[in-house]
Amino acid sequence: MKLNIHKPCTENWDHMQSSLHGKFCDICSKHVVDFTEKTEQEVQDIFNQANGKEVCGKLPVSFSKIATGVILITNLTFSQAQTTAHTFVTTEQNTSNLTMLSGKLIFKNSKKEIPNAEVIFIHKTQYIKTFTDENGYFSLEIPSDLISKRNVLSFNFDTLNEKIRSNPERKVPNVIDADLYENQSILFTKNETINDKVFIIEPVQHYLGGISIMQDQPPDYYFFDGKSISEKKFERLQNENPDYQFFIFGGKEAQAIAGKSYIRTLRLLYSKRSL
C-alpha cells in the first residue's frame, strides 16, 4: 500500500486526549483516527465514508516512515491496479469551504459529560452526523454551502436511552426516568459561531396538560432527499425502505429546515447515509 502525503502534521499523538476512534486534537479541533491496528479494508471504509473530506490519522510503520506522527489526508481517492494493492492519492482541500461546529454535552442532573450521543446537522437535502467522544465532546465539519440563514443542530439520545433502560444495574426507577436524556435541537444563524460551546441537556420529563383546538392549522411538509413529496408517497417510501433515515421536526426547527414560515410539522426521509 503506497501513501503520498503533502504536509505531515507535527502535533504529538501522546499529548492528545483520547476519543472513541483514536485521539482528539485541541489545536485544530479534529478527531485523529488510529490506523495502526486497522486492516486495509477498514482503512478503505473510513476514507470512503469521509467522501472527500479531510482525515487526520496515525499511521503504522508499514504505511510510512513517519508512523510516530500524525498525518493529514485530504480528498482521498482509491485506485485499484491489476494487483490487489491500493494507492492513496492526496490533493489539497480548501478548508474555507467548511464550517466547523464543536461543543460538549453536559447532563443537567449529574453535571457529567454525555459520551456516545448522536449530534446531527440537519439540512433538507442531507444530514451530517457524529457522536460525542468519552468526554462528551463533538465536532462537525459542514460544507459552507449547506449553512442557511437559520440552521438546526439536533442532539438525539434514543439509542443511548435504550441502553440505559436495558441496563440491569440502573439505579433510578423507570417511573422517574431521571437518568434519561431529553432529545433537543438548537437553532443557529449563518453568522453565529458554534465553537467549543457547552450544551446543558435536560432529563426526560413527563407532562400532563389540557388539550387546545387550533383552527386553520399550518400544513405538514414531507421531503425525500431534499425534494417535497406527497404524504402518501412519503409513507410508501418509508414503509418499503425501513433502512432509510427518518427525522421529524416541528415549530421553529421545521421552519428553519424547510425555509417556510407557515408549517406545522416537517418530515424528512433520506436514502443516502450520513456523511
Side-chain angles (χ1 to χ4, degrees):
M1 185 178 292
K2 181 181 178 182
L3 179 65
N4 299 319
I5 304 167
H6 289 287
K7 296 180 180 180
C9 177
T10 58
E11 295 302 319
N12 192 320
W13 171 267
D14 295 328
H15 292 171
M16 299 179 187
Q17 59 177 309
S18 298
S19 69
L20 292 177
H21 304 292
K23 296 281 189 174
F24 183 82
C25 178
D26 291 324
I27 303 300
C28 58
S29 297
K30 294 181 183 296
H31 289 279
V32 184
V33 180
D34 187 357
F35 290 108
T36 58
E37 297 183 358
K38 295 190 180 299
T39 65
E40 181 175 335
Q41 184 60 52
E42 289 174 333
V43 173
Q44 181 174 352
D45 290 342
I46 289 172
F47 286 114
N48 285 341
Q49 292 174 11
N51 196 27
K53 293 167 54 180
E54 62 183 23
V55 176
C56 289
K58 179 183 179 183
L59 296 179
V61 176
S62 59
F63 279 12
S64 172
K65 294 180 180 180
I66 60 167
T68 56
V70 175
I71 55 104
L72 175 66
I73 306 172
T74 60
N75 285 353
L76 184 110
T77 58
F78 283 91
S79 59
Q80 185 161 9
Q82 294 180 352
T83 65
T84 57
H86 290 85
T87 300
F88 288 172
V89 180
T90 63
T91 59
E92 293 296 327
Q93 183 178 17
N94 186 359
T95 57
S96 64
N97 293 330
L98 297 173
T99 297
M100 171 66 73
L101 308 178
S102 65
K104 178 179 287 190
L105 305 189
I106 303 292
F107 189 37
K108 183 178 180 179
N109 282 10
S110 65
K111 306 298 188 295
K112 293 182 178 180
E113 298 86 357
I114 306 176
N116 302 318
E118 290 185 343
V119 180
I120 314 167
F121 174 83
I122 304 289
H123 188 274
K124 68 180 181 181
T125 62
Q126 67 184 89
Y127 67 99
I128 302 175
K129 180 171 69 173
T130 189
F131 294 87
T132 56
D133 64 16
E134 60 186 10
N135 298 310
Y137 191 89
F138 72 88
S139 64
L140 280 172
E141 290 181 340
I142 310 299
S144 296
D145 58 0
L146 295 182
I147 302 295
S148 306
K149 291 183 179 179
R150 294 192 301 165
N151 307 274
V152 173
L153 188 64
S154 179
F155 306 123
N156 187 289
F157 305 101
D158 289 346
T159 301
L160 198 55
N161 284 339
E162 285 303 315
K163 291 182 179 179
I164 294 173
R165 289 190 180 99
S166 61
N167 183 1
E169 299 180 357
R170 183 169 180 244
K171 297 180 180 180
V172 180
N174 289 342
V175 293
I176 297 179
D177 286 343
D179 60 343
L180 299 180
Y181 309 113
E182 184 79 54
N183 290 345
Q184 73 178 59
S185 300
I186 66 162
L187 290 174
F188 65 96
T189 65
K190 187 172 187 177
N191 297 323
E192 187 175 354
T193 301
I194 306 295
N195 188 8
D196 292 335
K197 188 172 181 178
V198 175
F199 300 93
I200 305 300
I201 304 302
E202 299 281 346
V204 169
Q205 302 288 340
H206 296 287
Y207 300 98
L208 295 176
I211 299 174
S212 61
I213 298 176
M214 178 180 176
Q215 294 182 346
D216 298 327
Q217 293 186 2
D220 294 344
Y221 281 87
Y222 301 82
F223 281 89
F224 174 61
D225 285 345
K227 296 182 179 180
S228 179
I229 62 175
S230 67
E231 177 182 3
K232 184 176 181 180
K233 185 175 182 180
F234 186 97
E235 292 178 346
R236 178 175 59 81
L237 285 170
Q238 189 176 21
N239 291 332
E240 293 176 353
N241 303 277
D243 57 323
Y244 283 2
Q245 181 66 57
F246 168 70
F247 297 102
I248 181 170
F249 292 93
K252 294 181 179 179
E253 289 86 357
Q255 295 171 10
I257 298 170
K260 299 179 182 294
S261 59
Y262 192 67
I263 180 173
R264 180 176 60 180
T265 304
L266 174 66
R267 291 173 172 82
L268 302 167
L269 193 65
Y270 301 92
S271 64
K272 301 176 183 177
R273 295 180 60 185
S274 166
L275 295 180

